[in-house]
Amino acid sequence: AVADNTITGNRTENKGGGLYASFALVNGNRIMENAASEGGGIFGESNGTFVGNRITKNTSRTGIGGGVYLNYWGLSKHNKVFSNNHVEQNGASDDKGAGGVCLDGEMDFSRNAIFNNTGLQLKNLTTSSNASLKAKECFWGSMDQIEIDAMIHDGKDDPALSLVEFE
């Protein structure tokens, strides 16, 4: 478990500027001002539980997950949680990139605050053969459904991808 840490000022040419986590519990951390090619703040792979983290001011040089990149491959649907996280002021290399969260795979995605990131707030790379991602009780910086939809890249933008359903 990685809990109650401040992870700041790290740089890598690869994935996970602040933290590269696989099969881990990441809880209550402050992850800020890190940079990487993908997952400037966090690169999460395989199963992982990310709860209650504050992920701010991280950058991705490729435009893929300035704050977070979740690459959840594998058959298990258990222990794939991204919940109660605050993802703000992260950057991507361009406005079409995902400054906030980029994800690929099925997971529990709920109660996150994802706003004020450059480019997209959420980029869903999960294929359309998977179920829709249910982004339950998330805050996007707006209450307007059309504005929120414009902040998310999913099956509405590319039919090869699954949809993101949000409240």
Coordinates of all heavy atoms in Angstrom, one line a residue, residues 73-134:
W73 N -5.8 -3.9 -17.8 CA -6.0 -5.1 -18.7 C -6.2 -6.3 -17.7 O -6.0 -6.2 -16.5 CB -4.8 -5.3 -19.6 CG -3.5 -5.3 -18.8 CD1 -2.7 -4.2 -18.5 CD2 -2.8 -6.4 -18.2 NE1 -1.6 -4.6 -17.8 CE2 -1.7 -5.9 -17.6 CE3 -3.1 -7.7 -18.1 CZ2 -0.8 -6.7 -16.9 CZ3 -2.3 -8.5 -17.4 CH2 -1.1 -8.0 -16.8
G74 N -6.6 -7.4 -18.3 CA -6.8 -8.6 -17.5 C -8.2 -9.0 -17.4 O -9.1 -8.2 -17.7
L75 N -8.4 -10.2 -16.9 CA -9.8 -10.7 -16.8 C -10.5 -10.3 -15.5 O -11.7 -10.2 -15.5 CB -9.8 -12.2 -16.9 CG -9.2 -12.8 -18.2 CD1 -9.1 -14.3 -18.2 CD2 -10.1 -12.3 -19.4
S76 N -9.8 -10.2 -14.4 CA -10.5 -9.9 -13.2 C -11.1 -8.5 -13.2 O -10.6 -7.5 -13.7 CB -9.5 -9.9 -12.0 OG -10.0 -9.4 -10.8
K77 N -12.4 -8.4 -12.7 CA -13.0 -7.1 -12.5 C -12.9 -6.6 -11.1 O -13.5 -5.6 -10.8 CB -14.5 -7.2 -12.9 CG -14.7 -7.4 -14.4 CD -16.1 -7.4 -14.8 CE -16.3 -7.7 -16.3 NZ -17.6 -7.8 -16.7
H78 N -12.3 -7.4 -10.2 CA -12.1 -7.0 -8.8 C -10.9 -6.1 -8.6 O -9.9 -6.2 -9.4 CB -12.0 -8.2 -8.0 CG -13.2 -9.1 -8.1 ND1 -14.5 -8.8 -7.7 CD2 -13.3 -10.3 -8.7 CE1 -15.3 -9.8 -8.0 NE2 -14.6 -10.7 -8.6
N79 N -10.9 -5.3 -7.6 CA -9.8 -4.5 -7.2 C -9.4 -3.5 -8.3 O -8.2 -3.2 -8.4 CB -8.6 -5.3 -6.8 CG -8.9 -6.2 -5.6 OD1 -9.6 -5.8 -4.7 ND2 -8.5 -7.4 -5.6
K80 N -10.3 -3.0 -9.1 CA -10.0 -2.0 -10.1 C -10.9 -0.8 -9.7 O -12.1 -0.7 -10.2 CB -10.4 -2.5 -11.5 CG -9.5 -3.6 -11.9 CD -9.8 -4.1 -13.3 CE -9.0 -5.3 -13.7 NZ -9.3 -5.7 -15.1
V81 N -10.4 0.0 -8.9 CA -11.2 1.1 -8.3 C -10.5 2.4 -8.4 O -9.3 2.6 -8.1 CB -11.5 0.8 -6.8 CG1 -12.3 2.0 -6.2 CG2 -12.3 -0.5 -6.6
F82 N -11.2 3.5 -8.9 CA -10.8 4.8 -8.9 C -11.9 5.7 -8.3 O -12.9 5.9 -9.0 CB -10.4 5.3 -10.3 CG -9.6 6.6 -10.4 CD1 -8.3 6.6 -10.1 CD2 -10.3 7.8 -10.7 CE1 -7.6 7.8 -10.1 CE2 -9.5 8.9 -10.7 CZ -8.2 9.0 -10.5
S83 N -11.8 6.0 -7.1 CA -12.9 6.6 -6.4 C -12.5 7.7 -5.4 O -11.4 7.6 -4.7 CB -13.7 5.5 -5.6 OG -14.8 6.1 -5.0
N84 N -13.3 8.7 -5.2 CA -13.0 9.8 -4.3 C -11.7 10.5 -4.5 O -11.1 11.0 -3.5 CB -13.2 9.3 -2.8 CG -14.6 8.9 -2.5 OD1 -15.5 9.7 -2.6 ND2 -14.7 7.6 -2.2
N85 N -11.3 10.6 -5.7 CA -10.0 11.3 -6.0 C -10.3 12.7 -6.6 O -11.4 13.0 -7.1 CB -9.2 10.5 -7.1 CG -8.8 9.2 -6.6 OD1 -8.0 9.1 -5.7 ND2 -9.4 8.1 -7.1
H86 N -9.4 13.6 -6.3 CA -9.4 15.0 -6.8 C -8.4 15.2 -7.9 O -7.2 15.1 -7.6 CB -9.2 15.9 -5.6 CG -9.3 17.4 -6.0 ND1 -10.4 18.1 -5.6 CD2 -8.5 18.2 -6.6 CE1 -10.3 19.3 -6.0 NE2 -9.1 19.4 -6.7
V87 N -8.8 15.4 -9.1 CA -7.8 15.5 -10.3 C -8.0 16.9 -10.9 O -9.0 17.2 -11.5 CB -8.1 14.4 -11.3 CG1 -7.1 14.5 -12.4 CG2 -8.1 13.0 -10.6
E88 N -7.1 17.8 -10.6 CA -7.2 19.2 -11.1 C -5.9 19.8 -11.5 O -4.9 19.5 -10.9 CB -7.8 20.0 -9.9 CG -8.1 21.4 -10.3 CD -8.6 22.3 -9.1 OE1 -8.5 21.8 -7.9 OE2 -9.0 23.4 -9.3
Q89 N -6.0 20.7 -12.5 CA -4.8 21.5 -12.9 C -3.7 20.7 -13.5 O -2.5 21.0 -13.4 CB -4.3 22.4 -11.8 CG -5.3 23.5 -11.4 CD -4.8 24.4 -10.3 OE1 -3.9 24.0 -9.5 NE2 -5.3 25.6 -10.2
N90 N -4.0 19.5 -14.1 CA -3.0 18.7 -14.7 C -3.0 19.1 -16.2 O -3.9 19.6 -16.7 CB -3.4 17.2 -14.5 CG -3.3 16.8 -13.1 OD1 -2.3 16.7 -12.5 ND2 -4.5 16.7 -12.5
G91 N -1.9 18.8 -16.9 CA -1.7 19.2 -18.2 C -1.4 18.1 -19.2 O -0.8 17.1 -18.8
A92 N -1.8 18.3 -20.5 CA -1.4 17.4 -21.6 C -0.7 18.3 -22.6 O -0.7 19.5 -22.6 CB -2.7 16.9 -22.2
S93 N 0.0 17.6 -23.5 CA 0.9 18.3 -24.5 C 0.1 19.2 -25.4 O 0.6 20.1 -26.0 CB 1.7 17.3 -25.2 OG 0.9 16.4 -25.9
D94 N -1.2 18.9 -25.6 CA -2.0 19.7 -26.5 C -3.5 19.7 -26.0 O -3.8 18.9 -25.2 CB -1.9 19.2 -28.0 CG -2.4 17.8 -28.1 OD1 -3.6 17.5 -27.8 OD2 -1.6 16.9 -28.6
D95 N -4.3 20.6 -26.6 CA -5.7 20.7 -26.1 C -6.5 19.5 -26.4 O -7.6 19.3 -25.8 CB -6.3 22.0 -26.7 CG -5.7 23.2 -26.1 OD1 -5.1 23.2 -25.0 OD2 -5.9 24.3 -26.7
K96 N -6.1 18.7 -27.3 CA -6.9 17.5 -27.7 C -6.5 16.3 -26.8 O -7.1 15.2 -26.9 CB -6.7 17.1 -29.2 CG -7.3 18.2 -30.0 CD -7.3 17.8 -31.5 CE -7.9 18.9 -32.3 NZ -7.9 18.7 -33.7
G97 N -5.4 16.4 -26.0 CA -5.0 15.4 -25.1 C -5.8 15.3 -23.9 O -6.7 16.1 -23.7
A98 N -5.5 14.3 -23.1 CA -6.3 14.1 -21.8 C -5.4 14.7 -20.7 O -4.6 13.9 -20.2 CB -6.6 12.7 -21.6
G99 N -5.6 15.9 -20.3 CA -4.9 16.5 -19.2 C -5.4 15.9 -17.8 O -4.6 15.8 -16.9
G100 N -6.6 15.4 -17.8 CA -7.1 14.8 -16.5 C -6.8 13.3 -16.4 O -5.7 12.9 -16.0
V101 N -7.8 12.5 -16.8 CA -7.7 11.0 -16.7 C -7.8 10.4 -18.0 O -8.7 10.7 -18.8 CB -8.8 10.5 -15.7 CG1 -8.7 9.0 -15.6 CG2 -8.6 11.2 -14.3
C102 N -6.9 9.4 -18.3 CA -7.1 8.5 -19.5 C -7.2 7.1 -18.9 O -6.5 6.8 -18.0 CB -5.8 8.7 -20.3 SG -5.9 7.7 -21.8
L103 N -8.2 6.4 -19.4 CA -8.3 5.0 -18.9 C -8.6 4.0 -20.0 O -9.1 4.4 -21.1 CB -9.4 5.0 -17.9 CG -10.8 5.5 -18.3 CD1 -11.6 4.4 -18.9 CD2 -11.5 6.0 -17.0
D104 N -8.2 2.8 -19.7 CA -8.5 1.7 -20.7 C -8.8 0.5 -19.8 O -7.9 -0.1 -19.2 CB -7.3 1.4 -21.5 CG -7.5 0.4 -22.6 OD1 -8.6 -0.2 -22.7 OD2 -6.6 0.2 -23.5
G105 N -10.1 0.1 -19.8 CA -10.5 -1.1 -19.0 C -11.7 -0.8 -18.2 O -12.1 0.3 -17.9
E106 N -12.3 -1.9 -17.7 CA -13.5 -1.8 -16.8 C -13.1 -1.6 -15.4 O -12.1 -2.1 -14.9 CB -14.3 -3.1 -17.0 CG -14.9 -3.2 -18.4 CD -15.8 -4.5 -18.5 OE1 -16.7 -4.6 -17.7 OE2 -15.5 -5.3 -19.3
M107 N -13.8 -0.7 -14.7 CA -13.5 -0.4 -13.3 C -14.6 0.3 -12.6 O -15.6 0.7 -13.2 CB -12.2 0.5 -13.3 CG -12.5 1.9 -13.8 SD -11.0 2.8 -14.2 CE -10.4 1.9 -15.6
D108 N -14.5 0.4 -11.3 CA -15.4 1.2 -10.5 C -14.9 2.6 -10.5 O -13.7 2.8 -10.0 CB -15.5 0.6 -9.0 CG -16.3 1.5 -8.1 OD1 -16.8 2.6 -8.5 OD2 -16.3 1.2 -6.9
F109 N -15.6 3.5 -11.1 CA -15.1 4.9 -11.3 C -16.2 5.8 -10.7 O -17.3 6.0 -11.3 CB -15.0 5.2 -12.8 CG -14.2 6.4 -13.1 CD1 -12.9 6.4 -13.2 CD2 -14.9 7.6 -13.3 CE1 -12.2 7.6 -13.6 CE2 -14.3 8.8 -13.6 CZ -12.9 8.7 -13.7
S110 N -16.0 6.3 -9.5 CA -17.1 7.0 -8.8 C -16.6 8.1 -7.9 O -15.4 8.0 -7.4 CB -18.0 6.0 -8.0 OG -17.2 5.4 -7.0
R111 N -17.4 9.1 -7.7 CA -17.2 10.2 -6.7 C -15.9 10.9 -6.9 O -15.3 11.4 -5.9 CB -17.3 9.7 -5.3 CG -18.7 9.1 -5.0 CD -18.9 8.8 -3.5 NE -20.2 8.2 -3.3 CZ -20.4 7.0 -3.0 NH1 -19.4 6.1 -2.8 NH2 -21.6 6.6 -2.8
N112 N -15.4 11.1 -8.1 CA -14.2 11.8 -8.4 C -14.5 13.2 -8.8 O -15.6 13.5 -9.4 CB -13.4 11.1 -9.5 CG -13.0 9.7 -9.2 OD1 -12.3 9.5 -8.2 ND2 -13.6 8.7 -9.9
A113 N -13.6 14.1 -8.5 CA -13.7 15.5 -8.9 C -12.6 15.7 -10.0 O -11.4 15.6 -9.7 CB -13.5 16.5 -7.8
I114 N -13.0 15.9 -11.3 CA -12.1 16.0 -12.4 C -12.4 17.2 -13.1 O -13.4 17.3 -13.9 CB -12.2 14.7 -13.3 CG1 -12.0 13.4 -12.5 CG2 -11.2 14.8 -14.4 CD1 -12.4 12.2 -13.2
F115 N -11.6 18.3 -13.0 CA -11.9 19.5 -13.6 C -10.7 20.4 -13.7 O -9.7 20.1 -13.0 CB -13.1 20.3 -12.8 CG -12.7 20.6 -11.4 CD1 -12.4 21.9 -11.1 CD2 -12.7 19.7 -10.4 CE1 -12.1 22.3 -9.8 CE2 -12.4 20.0 -9.1 CZ -12.1 21.3 -8.8
N116 N -10.8 21.5 -14.5 CA -9.6 22.4 -14.6 C -8.4 21.8 -15.1 O -7.3 22.3 -14.8 CB -9.4 23.2 -13.3 CG -10.3 24.4 -13.2 OD1 -11.0 24.8 -14.1 ND2 -10.3 24.9 -12.0
N117 N -8.4 20.7 -15.9 CA -7.3 20.1 -16.5 C -7.3 20.6 -17.9 O -8.3 20.9 -18.5 CB -7.4 18.6 -16.4 CG -7.4 18.1 -15.0 OD1 -6.5 18.1 -14.3 ND2 -8.6 17.6 -14.6
T118 N -6.1 20.7 -18.6 CA -6.1 21.1 -20.0 C -6.6 20.0 -20.9 O -6.6 18.8 -20.5 CB -4.6 21.4 -20.5 OG1 -3.8 20.2 -20.3 CG2 -4.0 22.5 -19.7
G119 N -7.2 20.4 -22.0 CA -7.8 19.4 -22.9 C -8.9 18.6 -22.3 O -9.7 19.2 -21.6
L120 N -9.0 17.3 -22.6 CA -10.1 16.5 -22.1 C -9.9 16.2 -20.6 O -8.8 16.1 -20.1 CB -10.1 15.2 -22.8 CG -10.3 15.2 -24.3 CD1 -10.0 13.9 -25.0 CD2 -11.8 15.6 -24.6
Q121 N -11.1 16.1 -19.9 CA -11.0 15.8 -18.5 C -11.0 14.2 -18.4 O -10.3 13.7 -17.5 CB -12.3 16.3 -17.8 CG -12.5 17.8 -17.9 CD -11.2 18.6 -17.4 OE1 -10.8 18.4 -16.3 NE2 -10.7 19.4 -18.3
L122 N -11.6 13.5 -19.3 CA -11.6 12.1 -19.3 C -11.5 11.5 -20.7 O -12.3 11.9 -21.6 CB -12.9 11.5 -18.6 CG -13.0 10.0 -18.6 CD1 -11.9 9.3 -17.8 CD2 -14.4 9.7 -18.0
K123 N -10.5 10.7 -21.0 CA -10.4 10.0 -22.3 C -10.5 8.5 -22.0 O -9.7 7.9 -21.4 CB -9.1 10.3 -22.9 CG -9.0 9.8 -24.3 CD -7.8 10.4 -25.1 CE -7.8 10.0 -26.5 NZ -6.8 10.7 -27.3
N124 N -11.6 7.9 -22.6 CA -11.9 6.5 -22.4 C -11.4 5.8 -23.7 O -11.8 6.0 -24.8 CB -13.4 6.3 -22.3 CG -13.8 4.9 -22.2 OD1 -12.9 4.0 -21.8 ND2 -15.0 4.5 -22.5
L125 N -10.4 4.9 -23.5 CA -9.8 4.1 -24.6 C -10.3 2.7 -24.6 O -9.8 1.9 -25.3 CB -8.3 4.1 -24.5 CG -7.6 5.5 -24.6 CD1 -6.1 5.4 -24.4 CD2 -7.9 6.1 -26.0
T126 N -11.3 2.4 -23.7 CA -11.8 1.0 -23.6 C -12.6 0.7 -24.9 O -13.4 1.5 -25.3 CB -12.7 1.0 -22.4 OG1 -12.0 1.4 -21.2 CG2 -13.2 -0.5 -22.1
T127 N -12.4 -0.5 -25.4 CA -13.1 -0.8 -26.7 C -14.6 -1.0 -26.5 O -15.0 -1.3 -25.4 CB -12.5 -2.1 -27.3 OG1 -12.7 -3.2 -26.3 CG2 -11.0 -2.0 -27.5
S128 N -15.3 -0.9 -27.6 CA -16.8 -0.9 -27.5 C -17.3 -2.3 -27.2 O -18.4 -2.5 -26.8 CB -17.3 -0.5 -28.9 OG -16.9 -1.4 -29.9
S129 N -16.4 -3.4 -27.2 CA -16.8 -4.7 -26.8 C -17.0 -4.8 -25.3 O -17.6 -5.8 -24.8 CB -15.8 -5.8 -27.3 OG -14.6 -5.5 -26.7
N130 N -16.6 -3.8 -24.6 CA -16.7 -3.8 -23.1 C -18.0 -3.0 -22.7 O -18.5 -2.2 -23.5 CB -15.5 -3.2 -22.4 CG -14.3 -4.0 -22.5 OD1 -14.4 -5.3 -22.5 ND2 -13.1 -3.4 -22.7
A131 N -18.4 -3.2 -21.5 CA -19.6 -2.4 -21.0 C -19.2 -0.9 -20.9 O -18.1 -0.6 -20.8 CB -20.0 -3.0 -19.6
S132 N -20.2 -0.1 -20.9 CA -20.0 1.3 -20.7 C -19.4 1.6 -19.3 O -19.7 0.9 -18.4 CB -21.4 2.1 -20.8 OG -21.9 2.0 -22.0
L133 N -18.6 2.6 -19.3 CA -18.0 3.0 -18.0 C -19.1 3.9 -17.3 O -19.6 4.8 -17.9 CB -16.8 3.9 -18.2 CG -16.2 4.5 -16.9 CD1 -15.5 3.4 -16.1 CD2 -15.3 5.6 -17.2
K134 N -19.4 3.5 -16.1 CA -20.4 4.3 -15.3 C -19.6 5.2 -14.4 O -19.0 4.8 -13.4 CB -21.3 3.4 -14.6 CG -22.1 2.5 -15.5 CD -23.3 1.9 -14.9 CE -24.1 1.0 -15.8 NZ -23.7 0.8 -17.2

